[in-house]
């Protein structure tokens, strides 16, 4: 499913009006009605319930006024409070205010007819609060009195439905602009916005419903939106086929270059991830101790030993030779980022011509000189968590978290595919961007990223195109965590590996 930004939404509205002569007033009417229908779906009979509709002066507030009018079909217990000066109202909002007044609805002006204490009482007495204060037009930190009002709603409201987006969220980032509504339900229009899928916005959105408001699908499609949520039907289409007439090499050879005496477990998790998604031949190049453990856990692994405790230029020829025999490579988990390891990583990358996924210490090594990425002759995937990405782009972690614009820029500048990991994982090749919403907090555990590298690497080795291998990989990895039946967080990473088949099965079904 596509995602649309605030700017793109305005453009779509403009195109609808210009090319189809569908006016904004029509869209607003449909938007308001859609919210009431969504409330009916969620709460059942609305007749015994009381509603307080909080409206700003922009068109989000106009939607709220339409909600209020349509609620009157169900109940008389509808109150409305307008926040902001009437002179600043958009024309559509003013028209809808007039309609409500003609119907005899009690519309109060905040600061004139009611103060903060009075509003607190109204919020406490209402069953449902409709939040139509700020929508896609919100700019900068939320100003008072809106921030005080948002605070009251969060303190006292029973059930909150947000119109389009929870007021106080930045539409295109999901950041909280000082203070934001925590909604139980958000009804958005046409398509989800970035704030619904990126944290903290994703959490404040509550349940998300996407409503059609009369903008034809063909018009949306003509915009060629480049960002989307990964769905099951998308990944089902790219899951590689299992041809009956096959042998182990049919399903790809993956070379895993990982591990050191310090990190014995990471390479094993990567290899198991690859085997679990159906890779035919997984070869691990690592130190002796890692190999013994790895083959002990899974005798189907092919192991080649290096001489010492960690990689150095001595291993370069052997690694290049094995790379020649492979379809794809995973480089990084547990390598350490000591100088001689990084020397190996840099030289190896400059000489290979097979698709490569760089993770963990592989990324830490290249963060000293990211331009090496531009010299790799084959497709490159990088799978940083925000800390690793921060080191790559030399910015603070908080600024790079969920920063899809930065990930897109990096992907284009360095000709790589970025998998920026997080509670919402972002996959981008710079031209298209995908958000993975599947998975839970069980994945927030050391080793879970190593499994992901193996899963993506395994798909890559099977010939899945690099961006698609990432899309498929993050989805399957996330879904595997949802297959765990006990309390979130109690899952071991080795159990995650063993749940991958159930996730693949669900995707294939
Ligand atoms: N596009 C479409 O197709 C459709 C769009 N539709 C609806 O329109 C909505 C967008 O409406 P919009 O553009 O009028 O902006 P909106 O979100 O109401 O905010 C503007 C108001 O907020 C205020 N304000 C801003 N920042 C602030 C701050 N930090 N702190 C405090 N105040 C702040 C600003 O005040 P001002 O700066 O002008 O004083 C102004 O009053 C969209 O979300 C959807 O619900 C639907 O009808 C269906 C079709
Ligand atoms: K809102």
């Amino acid at each position: 499913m596509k995602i649309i930004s605030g700017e793109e939404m305005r453009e779509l509205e403009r195109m609808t009006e210009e090319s189809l002569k569908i006016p904004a007033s029509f869209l607003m009417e449909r938007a308001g009605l859609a919210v009431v229908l969504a409330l009916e779906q969620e709460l059942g009979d609305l007749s015994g319930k009381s509603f307080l509709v909080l409206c700003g002066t922009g068109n989000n507030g106009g939607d709220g006024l339409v909600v209020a009018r349509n609620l009157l079909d169900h109940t008389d217990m509808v109150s409305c409070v307008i926040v902001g000066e009437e002179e600043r109202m958009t024309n559509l909002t003013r028209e809808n205010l007039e309609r409500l007044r003609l119907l005899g609805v009690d519309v109060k002006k905040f600061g004139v007819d009611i103060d903060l204490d009075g509003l607190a009482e109204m919020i406490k007495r209402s069953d449902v609060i409709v939040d139509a204060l700020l929508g896609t037009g919100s700019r900068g930190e939320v100003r008072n009195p809106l921030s005080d009002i948002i605070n009251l709603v969060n303190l006292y409201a029973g059930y909150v439905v947000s119109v389009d987006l929870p007021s106080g969220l930045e539409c295109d980032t999901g950041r909280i602009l000082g203070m934001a509504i925590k909604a139980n339900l958000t009804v958005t229009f046409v398509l989800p916005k970035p704030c619904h899928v990126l944290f903290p916005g994703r959490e404040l959105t509550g349940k998300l419903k996407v409503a059609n408001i009369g903008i034809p699908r063909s018009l949306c499609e003509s915009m060629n939106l480049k960002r989307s949520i990964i769905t099951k039907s998308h990944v089902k289409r790219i899951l590689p086929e299992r041809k009956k007439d096959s042998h182990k090499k049919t399903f790809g050879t993956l070379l895993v270059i990982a591990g050191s005496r310090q990190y014995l477990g990471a390479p094993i998790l990567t290899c198991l991830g690859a085997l679990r998604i159906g890779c035919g031949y997984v070869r691990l190049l690592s130190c002796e101790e890692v190999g013994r453990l790895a083959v002990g856990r899974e005798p189907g692994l092919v192991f080649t030993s290096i001489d010492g405790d960690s990689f150095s230029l001595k291993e370069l020829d052997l690694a290049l030779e094995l790379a020649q025999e492979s379809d794809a490579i995973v480089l990084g988990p547990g390598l350490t980022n000591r100088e001689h390891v990084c020397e190996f990583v840099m030289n190896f990358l400059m000489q290979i011509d097979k698709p490569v996924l760089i993770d963990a210490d592989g990324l830490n090594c290249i963060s000293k000189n990211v331009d090496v990425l531009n010299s790799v002759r084959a497709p490159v995937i990088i799978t940083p968590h925000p800390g690793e990405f921060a080191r790559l782009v030399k910015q603070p972690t908080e600024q790079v978290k969920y920063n899809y614009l930065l990930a897109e820029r990096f992907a284009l500048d360095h000709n790589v595919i970025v998998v920026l990991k997080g509670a919402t994982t972002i996959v981008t090749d710079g031209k298209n961007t995908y958000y993975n919403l599947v998975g839970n907090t069980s994945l927030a555990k050391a080793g879970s990223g190593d499994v992901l590298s193996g899963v993506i690497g395994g798909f890559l080795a099977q010939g899945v195109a690099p961006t698609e291998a990432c899309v498929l990989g993050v989805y399957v990895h996330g879904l595997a965590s949802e297959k765990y039946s006990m309390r979130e967080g109690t899952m071991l990473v080795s159990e995650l590996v063993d749940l991958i088949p159930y996730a693949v099965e669900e995707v294939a079904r």
Side-chain angles (χ1 to χ4, degrees):
M1 181 188 251
K2 296 283 185 187
I3 295 273
I4 191 164
S5 70
E7 192 54 50
E8 288 164 339
M9 191 64 207
R10 278 184 283 281
E11 172 63 10
L12 187 60
E13 185 184 24
R14 193 193 58 72
M15 280 161 52
T16 309
E17 182 139 27
E18 213 171 271
S19 57
L20 297 170
K21 312 289 174 226
I22 297 176
S25 59
F26 172 90
L27 303 181
M28 185 176 276
E29 194 62 31
R30 286 276 307 255
L33 185 59
V35 174
V36 177
L37 292 176
L39 278 172
E40 251 188 311
Q41 262 179 11
E42 285 304 299
L43 305 177
D45 184 12
L46 302 180
S47 65
K49 297 193 164 52
S50 56
F51 294 83
L52 171 60
V53 187
L54 301 174
C55 301
T57 51
N59 282 346
N60 193 252
D63 292 351
L65 295 166
V66 178
V67 173
R69 175 157 42 80
N70 280 285
L71 281 171
L72 291 172
D73 292 343
H74 300 268
T75 172
D76 293 331
M77 293 183 282
V78 181
S79 311
C80 232
V81 173
I82 305 274
V83 185
E85 295 158 30
E86 217 165 307
E87 304 75 63
R88 293 197 69 85
M89 269 189 183
T90 61
N91 290 338
L92 288 178
T93 304
R94 187 171 298 113
E95 279 168 25
N96 278 300
L97 176 61
E98 198 51 44
R99 288 182 187 125
L100 265 193
R101 282 185 173 143
L102 289 171
L103 280 165
V105 176
D106 174 29
V107 182
K108 291 186 167 39
K109 280 195 210 165
F110 183 81
V112 178
D113 306 318
I114 189 166
D115 62 8
L116 218 47
D117 290 340
L119 187 63
E121 286 311 309
M122 281 182 92
I123 293 171
K124 285 182 200 167
R125 281 201 310 269
S126 307
D127 295 318
V128 179
I129 306 298
V130 179
D131 153 37
L133 293 167
L134 294 167
T136 54
S138 192
R139 298 282 175 271
E141 293 284 298
V142 175
R143 301 188 295 267
N144 249 332
L146 273 182
S147 51
D148 284 345
I149 293 172
I150 289 172
N151 192 29
L152 280 188
V153 173
N154 287 346
L155 276 176
Y156 299 125
Y159 186 93
V160 182
V161 56
S162 283
V163 177
D164 208 6
L165 48 100
S167 300
L169 285 187
E170 189 168 51
C171 177
D172 291 350
T173 65
R175 279 196 312 131
I176 295 173
L177 297 165
M179 184 74 76
I181 293 278
K182 179 159 176 43
N184 298 88
L185 171 71
T186 296
V187 184
T188 197
F189 313 121
V190 188
L191 289 170
K193 318 292 177 295
C195 65
H196 301 130
V197 299
L198 301 174
F199 288 90
R202 182 173 159 194
E203 193 153 23
L204 299 189
T205 294
K207 185 169 181 177
L208 179 67
K209 290 200 169 212
V210 184
N212 290 324
I213 55 168
I215 297 180
R217 211 163 39 158
S218 57
L219 204 60
C220 284
E221 280 164 9
S222 74
M223 291 189 75
N224 283 323
L225 298 169
K226 66 173 195 174
R227 304 191 181 99
S228 47
I229 298 172
I230 305 172
T231 58
K232 193 170 142 191
S233 60
H234 180 185
V235 291
K236 188 180 160 86
R237 280 198 304 275
I238 51 183
L239 188 69
E241 216 187 312
R242 304 281 299 176
K243 285 217 179 71
K244 287 236 179 314
D245 182 17
S246 59
H247 55 87
K248 57 181 182 264
K249 295 284 169 95
T250 314
F251 300 119
T253 300
L254 179 70
L255 172 63
V256 176
I257 299 181
S260 58
R261 198 163 172 199
Q262 250 167 294
Y263 297 106
L264 304 173
I268 306 176
L269 293 168
T270 303
C271 293
L272 291 175
L275 287 170
R276 278 295 194 198
I277 50 85
C279 185
Y281 195 98
V282 177
R283 168 170 251 150
L284 172 63
L285 178 62
S286 191
C287 62
E288 187 65 44
E289 270 173 288
V290 170
R292 224 174 297 127
L293 285 174
V295 178
R297 170 69 157 86
E298 175 45 51
L301 267 177
V302 182
F303 172 68
T304 304
S305 183
I306 60 169
D307 273 345
D309 293 343
S310 56
F311 283 79
S312 69
L313 280 181
K314 274 202 299 190
E315 279 72 41
L316 189 60
D317 287 345
L318 172 62
L320 288 170
E321 199 180 303
L322 295 181
Q324 268 313 308
E325 296 164 12
S326 308
D327 299 299
I329 303 153
V330 171
L331 173 69
L335 285 178
T336 77
N337 62 352
R338 279 181 279 174
E339 207 164 307
H340 56 90
V341 176
C342 292
E343 224 175 7
F344 164 82
V345 166
M346 295 300 228
N347 279 279
F348 179 74
L349 283 173
M350 283 190 288
Q351 293 183 55
I352 50 163
D353 56 5
K354 295 291 169 66
V356 61
L357 180 152
I358 314 172
D359 186 29
D361 283 327
L363 294 173
N364 294 332
C365 282
I366 63 167
S367 65
K368 293 165 193 161
N369 177 14
V370 286
D371 292 336
V372 69
L373 292 171
N374 298 77
S375 348
V376 187
R377 281 169 290 150
V380 178
I381 295 167
I382 62 168
T383 53
H385 57 57
E388 287 159 349
F389 195 48
R391 281 193 283 280
L392 287 174
V393 297
K394 309 207 170 17
Q395 289 191 30
T397 307
E398 272 315 303
Q399 271 175 38
V400 311
K401 234 175 136 183
Y402 304 117
N403 193 334
Y404 58 95
L405 293 175
L406 197 63
E408 287 168 358
R409 187 74 263 150
F410 191 90
L412 284 178
D413 286 351
H414 297 283
N415 193 25
V416 297
I417 295 149
V418 179
V419 177
L420 180 55
K421 294 184 284 196
T424 297
T425 289
I426 297 163
V427 174
T428 182
D429 56 13
K431 294 179 214 88
N432 290 292
T433 299
Y434 305 90
Y435 302 93
N436 180 48
L437 310 188
V438 171
N440 61 38
T441 61
S442 287
L443 294 174
K445 201 166 271 186
S448 126
D450 304 320
V451 178
L452 178 65
S453 297
V455 169
I456 298 175
F459 283 128
L460 203 58
Q462 288 178 73
V464 179
T467 306
E468 295 192 331
C470 296
V471 166
L472 189 51
V474 295
Y475 188 91
V476 166
H477 179 258
L479 192 57
S481 73
E482 292 186 359
K483 296 288 169 198
Y484 190 67
S485 55
M486 307 297 190
R487 189 169 164 74
E488 264 183 45
T490 61
M491 182 184 70
L492 299 176
V493 181
S494 53
E495 291 172 315
L496 171 69
V497 167
D498 294 338
L499 289 167
I500 290 172
Y502 298 93
V504 176
E505 177 63 25
E506 185 176 324
V507 169
R509 217 183 294 137

